[in-house]
């Protein structure tokens, strides 16, 4: 019998797979905080066949996302433990063969299926505790989506707080920044079982949504602290100059990407 399932574990029916088959649908909110760091600290995160962005090469975006998601049968909607998660990620820009891309260099997520799903896409996801203020339309227990609305956001991993930020809405916006505004360019890496420093998988891939919808979007000012950790290197991307912060509603659907580069691996005798 052929085993079924998009990811592991593959099983007789495929129901046990940690990740369902694509397409995947997402609806949620994103808080994006853009700033400038030393351009050489961005460049050191890129493989040698990628170049930094031509303009503003030190620009960085730190993004929190509060998602509800599902597969094509929508079964997760009625099983919220499988449909809700949060993530926080750090994006820079780079160039490959004359085109500009966005690239996620660090990312944390709070559920196992979202982590493994990201590994399939080349996102270097790790588990963490992630929190983001949610807006309210009634009562006083949250920010309103209007000037003066204040949000807090944090990321902690292995009991070390990595990022703490505050954002205050100053007005509406027709965009949510420029650092994360391009197709994604990621590497899919997996080390060989021999653990000899070689990879069994080494691909450069790009991807973007095939359908998207943007809701309300707001601009504002922010403050953010990046803290050191014994198992992270985020503090190398120190904040030199804030650019702007954004909060937006967003929805999109994703099915597949494209392989741009694949390292030829040695044949097995």
């Amino acid at each position: 019998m052929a085993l079924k399932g998009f990811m592991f574990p593959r099983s007789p029916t495929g129901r046990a797979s940690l990740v369902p088959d694509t397409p995947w649908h997402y609806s949620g909110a994103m808080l994006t905080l853009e700033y400038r760091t030393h351009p050489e600290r961005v460049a050191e995160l890129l493989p040698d066949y990628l170049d930094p962005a031509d303009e503003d090469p030190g620009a960085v975006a730190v993004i929190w996302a509060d998602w509800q998601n599902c597969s094509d049968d929508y079964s997760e909607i009625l099983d919220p433990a499988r449909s809700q998660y949060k993530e926080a990620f750090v994006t820079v820009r780079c160039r490959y063969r004359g085109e500009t891309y966005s690239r996620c260099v660090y990312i944390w997520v709070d559920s196992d299926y979202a982590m493994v799903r990201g590994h399939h896409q080349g996102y270097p996801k790790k588990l963490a505790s992630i929190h983001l203020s949610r807006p309210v339309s009634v009562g006083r227990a949250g920010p309103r989506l209007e000037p003066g609305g204040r949000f807090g956001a944090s990321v902690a991993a292995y009991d070390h707080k990595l990022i703490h930020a505050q954002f205050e809405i100053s007005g509406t916006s027709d965009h949510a920044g420029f650092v994360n505004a391009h197709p994604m360019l990621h590497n899919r890496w997996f080390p060989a079982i021999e653990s000899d420093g070689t990879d069994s998988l080494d691909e450069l891939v790009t991807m973007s949504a095939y359908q998207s919808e943007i809701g309300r979007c707001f601009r504002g000012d922010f403050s953010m602290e990046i803290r050191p950790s014994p198992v992270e290197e985020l503090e190398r991307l120190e904040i030199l100059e804030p650019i702007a912060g954004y909060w937006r509603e967003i929805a999109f659907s994703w099915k597949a990407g494209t392989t741009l580069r694949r390292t030829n691996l040695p044949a097995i005798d």
Side-chain angles (χ1 to χ4, degrees):
M1 174 182 292
L3 296 179
K4 301 176 182 178
F6 184 78
M7 295 287 286
F8 53 78
R10 290 184 173 172
S11 60
T13 69
R15 193 173 68 248
S17 175
L18 182 59
V19 178
D21 199 359
T22 63
W24 304 324
H25 310 286
Y26 304 77
S27 297
M30 299 177 71
L31 173 66
T32 300
L33 307 180
E34 294 185 336
Y35 70 93
R36 294 183 177 93
T37 191
H38 301 284
E40 60 269 22
R41 293 293 174 84
V42 173
E44 70 183 12
L45 287 164
L46 305 177
D48 56 11
Y49 46 81
L50 300 184
D51 297 314
D54 290 338
E55 297 182 6
D56 222 341
V60 178
V62 179
I63 303 166
W64 282 260
D66 189 354
W67 293 121
Q68 186 152 289
N69 72 111
C70 67
S71 54
D72 232 12
D73 68 3
Y74 303 101
S75 61
E76 296 88 350
I77 300 302
L78 300 181
D79 193 1
R82 297 161 53 209
S83 70
Q84 297 173 350
Y85 73 96
K86 293 187 290 295
E87 62 186 356
F89 53 104
V90 180
T91 300
V92 300
R93 291 170 304 139
C94 61
R95 290 181 63 79
Y96 180 68
R97 294 181 176 176
E99 298 293 331
T100 300
Y101 295 90
S102 299
R103 181 175 175 89
C104 178
V105 292
Y106 298 119
I107 181 168
W108 301 268
V109 67
D110 63 5
S111 70
D112 58 356
Y113 76 86
M115 182 175 70
V116 172
R117 184 171 64 186
H119 293 170
H120 168 67
Q121 299 170 308
Y123 285 91
K125 292 189 176 185
K126 303 169 72 172
L127 290 175
S129 174
I130 300 159
H131 296 281
L132 172 64
S133 299
R134 291 171 175 163
V136 300
S137 57
V138 295
R140 301 171 63 183
R144 299 295 179 105
L145 292 176
E146 59 188 27
R150 300 178 65 196
F151 293 73
S154 64
V155 183
Y158 293 107
D159 290 336
H160 295 273
K161 180 165 280 190
L162 306 177
I163 316 172
H164 182 79
Q166 295 184 4
F167 166 74
E168 182 171 338
I169 294 175
S170 60
T172 59
S173 177
D174 60 359
H175 66 93
F178 65 96
V179 179
N180 196 46
H182 306 277
M184 305 305 297
L185 187 71
H186 290 158
N187 284 91
R188 285 162 32 103
W189 285 314
F190 203 85
I193 195 64
E194 287 79 10
S195 300
D196 58 3
T198 64
D199 289 322
S200 293
L201 176 68
D202 185 353
E203 295 176 340
L204 183 70
V205 300
T206 186
M207 71 207 76
S208 58
Y210 69 84
Q211 183 177 3
S212 62
E213 183 178 353
I214 303 299
R216 293 168 292 179
C217 187
F218 300 87
R219 181 187 176 103
D221 299 319
F222 72 92
S223 62
M224 181 166 58
E225 179 184 5
I226 295 174
R227 301 179 182 178
S229 164
V231 292
E232 304 290 350
E233 300 178 52
L234 184 59
E235 74 275 10
R236 295 183 65 80
L237 297 174
E238 65 174 312
I239 302 169
L240 299 182
E241 179 188 2
I243 299 175
Y246 305 90
W247 188 97
R248 70 172 177 180
E249 298 168 317
I250 184 171
F252 66 91
S253 297
W254 186 90
K255 182 173 179 58
T258 302
T259 303
L260 299 180
R261 183 181 190 272
R262 180 180 289 117
T263 299
N264 292 325
L265 303 176
I268 303 296
D269 293 333

